[in-house]
Amino acid sequence: MRLLEILSGLNQAGVRYVVIGGIAANVQGSPRITMDVDICYDPEEGNRARLAEVLAGWHAYLRGVEPGLPFVMDARTLRDVPVLTLVTDLGDLDVMYRVAGVGEYTSVEAASLELTVLGILVRVLALDALIAAKRATGRRKDQEALLELEALREERRRRKRL
Amino acid sequence: MLNALTRLGVPRNYSEPLARRLALARLVAETAGARLPEAFALAGRALADAEPTATWRVESPDGSVALVVDLPRFFTTYGAALARARTHYGERRRGRRPRQRGTAVERAKEYGIDVTLLHSALQRTPEQRLKLLAEDMEFLEEWRKAARKAVP
């Protein structure tokens, strides 16, 4: 997984997005290591077209689906499918335009924070919104992560730091 | 799903090819207003006869009505739904959340979470955490590659 290449590639193409999921949790202080990148993107037409072009350039294909099934990676697919789980030349990447428990892209962006890592500007979902998203999924596998994130929030409040 | 299979008189041996045919049948039924058994028959023909990377066209006997199916587009949306089901499926927890006792840190400890890892992560800045994660991901990927080579 070439995380920084993915982020810089999206930035260079001018894609508006927020990093969510395991990477956002890690940035907030979760010790879990994740091997895929989850992003929520702005579904505005131009942004969708830019994202589709980048993903096509990385030879995005459906993760968990046998090779050979026709797959069109374009802006229309992004419009028609709310969540795409993909494997790309740079690693596994999940893209969506809304996050359960948080809402549409505008709410996701409002609930994010901006940081710069090695010169790459990146928006990540903040801890309260991550907790809301984990609660909304209601999956068993997320329960442990939810307990951890809630403990993290308490600890951060106690220390008064990010 | 089971109701649809019963209506169609299809054995309840749910498989991926059957899911594919049902997905196309549902689309044809909803879009063209066809009855489900007719749509299911049409979907079967389309998937059996047509080139998956092209459009499939069928006409009424007098040629006055035509149905055109964009198969690459269908396979894209169907495949995306299949990928999501396979990668994100998880049993949903039902009912109320259990009553919460103690602080969040106490609950996490009781569950078995090593909170000392949280403490050490909080010593770093968000930028340091992301940089470290990126390095860890690349490192683990190299380990995975090595493991794949070592285990034939």
Side-chain angles (χ1 to χ4, degrees):
Chain A
M1 163 59 65
R2 285 131 71 181
L3 171 62
L4 298 178
E5 268 183 75
I6 290 180
L7 301 178
S8 60
L10 292 168
N11 287 0
Q12 276 164 21
V15 178
R16 285 189 302 282
Y17 66 97
V18 173
V19 176
I20 59 173
I23 290 174
N26 189 285
V27 169
Q28 314 293 331
S30 163
R32 281 165 197 269
I33 291 179
T34 181
M35 291 305 282
D36 66 341
V37 180
D38 302 305
I39 63 162
C40 176
Y41 64 91
D42 185 350
E44 180 269 326
E45 204 177 330
N47 198 52
R48 233 177 23 222
R50 288 190 291 277
L51 175 59
E53 199 179 335
V54 173
L55 294 174
W58 291 339
H59 305 110
Y61 188 69
L62 299 163
R63 194 162 77 247
V65 172
E66 298 74 9
L69 195 74
F71 177 61
V72 187
M73 187 61 261
D74 64 4
R76 191 171 148 190
T77 295
L78 287 176
R79 187 199 65 190
D80 294 345
V81 184
V83 181
L84 271 175
T85 52
L86 302 167
V87 55
T88 75
D89 293 344
L90 300 183
D92 295 339
L93 178 63
D94 294 353
V95 300
M96 59 206 76
Y97 56 76
R98 76 169 76 93
V99 177
V102 183
E104 304 292 325
Y105 178 77
T106 44
S107 308
V108 174
E109 193 187 89
S112 69
L113 50 103
E114 201 172 67
L115 31 126
T116 306
V117 185
L118 299 172
I120 303 167
L121 190 71
V122 57
R123 281 198 160 277
V124 294
L125 196 60
L127 189 53
D128 285 342
L130 272 172
I131 290 171
K134 284 283 177 207
R135 277 199 186 131
T137 60
R139 295 180 303 193
R140 276 183 203 275
K141 79 177 188 99
D142 288 327
Q143 290 313 299
E144 188 179 329
L146 181 59
L147 279 167
E148 187 183 86
L149 291 174
E150 285 173 341
L152 194 60
R153 178 167 63 183
E154 190 176 279
E155 196 62 21
R156 278 189 0 182
R157 280 180 183 158
R158 198 176 63 79
R159 296 177 184 217
K160 294 192 174 83
R161 70 170 297 175
L162 214 72
Chain B
M1 181 59 68
L2 292 176
N3 285 345
L5 293 177
T6 305
R7 274 178 67 194
L8 293 165
V10 174
R12 293 180 177 187
N13 295 328
Y14 197 56
S15 62
E16 194 278 311
L18 178 60
R20 190 182 290 203
R21 187 173 170 186
L22 278 170
L24 183 56
R26 202 181 115 198
L27 207 59
V28 170
E30 284 174 4
T31 314
R35 291 183 333 115
L36 189 61
E38 289 152 2
F40 189 67
L42 277 172
R45 276 176 61 196
L47 294 171
D49 302 344
E51 170 62 40
T53 54
T55 54
W56 181 74
R57 185 185 168 93
V58 63
E59 290 182 1
S60 61
D62 64 356
S64 60
V65 178
L67 173 72
V68 180
V69 180
D70 182 344
L71 284 169
R73 188 62 63 185
F74 162 71
F75 282 124
T76 297
T77 40
Y78 163 76
L82 180 67
R84 191 180 172 202
R86 284 179 174 171
T87 54
H88 275 231
Y89 175 77
E91 190 189 344
R92 286 181 68 84
R93 199 171 52 85
R94 302 205 179 272
R96 285 185 197 162
R97 293 186 78 197
R99 201 157 65 87
Q100 297 191 337
R101 289 195 188 89
T103 66
V105 171
E106 284 165 356
R107 288 195 298 275
K109 272 185 189 168
E110 196 181 311
Y111 191 84
I113 291 167
D114 183 353
V115 292
T116 61
L117 293 173
L118 305 183
H119 295 159
S120 54
L122 287 174
Q123 304 295 320
R124 303 182 197 103
T125 65
E127 287 82 2
Q128 286 169 331
R129 288 175 211 142
L130 187 60
K131 186 169 173 281
L132 202 61
L133 176 65
E135 288 167 3
D136 286 346
M137 282 168 130
E138 288 202 29
F139 181 68
L140 282 174
E141 191 55 43
E142 291 305 313
W143 271 72
R144 280 184 177 179
K145 278 183 201 163
R148 277 196 293 268
K149 274 185 196 162
V151 183

